[in-house]
Amino acid sequence: MRRVAVAGGLAGVCMLVLSGCSDDQNTLAPHSSAARSITTLWWVMFIGSTIVVMVVTLLVVLAVLKRRGRLDRVESRGESPGARNVVLISGALVPAVVLTALFIYVLTTVPATAEPKPKDAKMEIDVTGKQWFWAVRYPAQRIKTANEIHIPVGVPVRIRAHTDDVIHSFWVPELNRKIDMIPGYDNSVLLEADRAGVYRGQCAEFCGLQHANMAFYVVAQPRAAFNRWVAREQRPADTTAAGAKVFTQVGCGGCHTISGLSNGTIGPDLTHVGGRMTLAAGTIPNAKGWLGGWILDPQHIKPGNKMPALPVSGSQLQQLLSYLESLK
Ligand code: CUA
């Protein structure tokens, strides 16, 4: 019994420690009705299985203790009808009832996270997984961006997920379940945040060397702030700065789009890169020093990614940095 208590205590401590691991990506801190259904299901399953494990463990311990105490006094009494009933009830009937009840409960949760129809949503966003970043497109607003998805609070948004290469998985734990991005197949999920905030998302399917560094952020904003963001993203980029010339000369445009300047599609769209929170799909902060380090040696920061180190002089680098940072 003491061992059981110790194991239970340890499990409790682990839970507490793990729940403190993450502030911004926590499956147990839901911020949408779909995510709440998933969290409730998780707790029901967790508490249900904990009770089952405790009861079974208790019965095993009791049986062992009882048998030890009696062995020297009692010869085997053979199989009694009472013993058979205990086995039938606790070994077949009770598990059947418990598992059926849990299964029915799971079935009632499924519709809450089911694939949305176009009419279920007020807005659609296309997200394409690529090794290793997320290309984001708002068809109605004519916006292209990357690794950061802005949505209005309280508005059901349908994410249509595709992949350009291998299987990825789109997952924002606080907003809904994960959906796989499978070559040749479109999947969709509904995001409807119930309060403003920044929700971290992560690729949830191993997709190569930098799978772990394939993150993104969903920024849920009040309507007015969201509209301001849309208006800013719709503005064309400045293509006259000195840095814009360097961008073209050095060859950045072969892989990246800056609206009006280049239309590469291998790397993330940079039209408004200066306004984003992170670089390289959540790998590094979007700050001048990090951006400079990234341009000079991207393979050091994110080995295996498709960006080569381009030969830029000191002054070219400064012009590039000022330019990219100005693209808000
Ligand atoms: Cu993309 Cu893992």
Side-chain angles (χ1 to χ4, degrees), residues 143 193 271:
I143 291 172
T271 307

Side-chain angles (χ1 to χ4, degrees), residues 129-134 163 165-170 181 202-208 210-215:
K130 300 186 179 205
Q131 286 173 314
W132 291 278
F133 70 96
W134 312 82
T163 174
D165 37 50
V166 299
I167 301 177
H168 302 276
S169 186
F170 178 95
M181 302 168 131
Q202 169 72 42
C203 180
E205 178 73 39
F206 181 71
C207 56
Q210 292 298 333
H211 157 68
N213 284 325
M214 188 170 166

Side-chain angles (χ1 to χ4, degrees), residues 12 86 90 115 249 285 308:
V86 168
S90 58
E115 182 162 30
Q249 275 171 0

Side-chain angles (χ1 to χ4, degrees), residues 70-133:
R70 284 202 176 170
L71 259 184
D72 4 337
R73 284 187 289 121
V74 186
E75 291 288 306
S76 170
R77 286 183 302 172
E79 196 179 279
S80 71
R84 203 182 308 140
N85 285 344
V86 168
V87 170
L88 280 178
I89 291 170
S90 58
L93 188 65
V94 172
V97 169
V98 170
L99 291 178
T100 305
L102 288 177
F103 181 62
I104 290 171
Y105 183 65
V106 170
L107 290 184
T108 63
T109 303
V110 169
T113 63
E115 182 162 30
K117 306 248 176 353
K119 66 173 171 53
D120 298 333
K122 294 229 167 67
M123 204 173 124
E124 289 202 327
I125 304 174
D126 276 308
V127 180
T128 304
K130 300 186 179 205
Q131 286 173 314
W132 291 278
F133 70 96

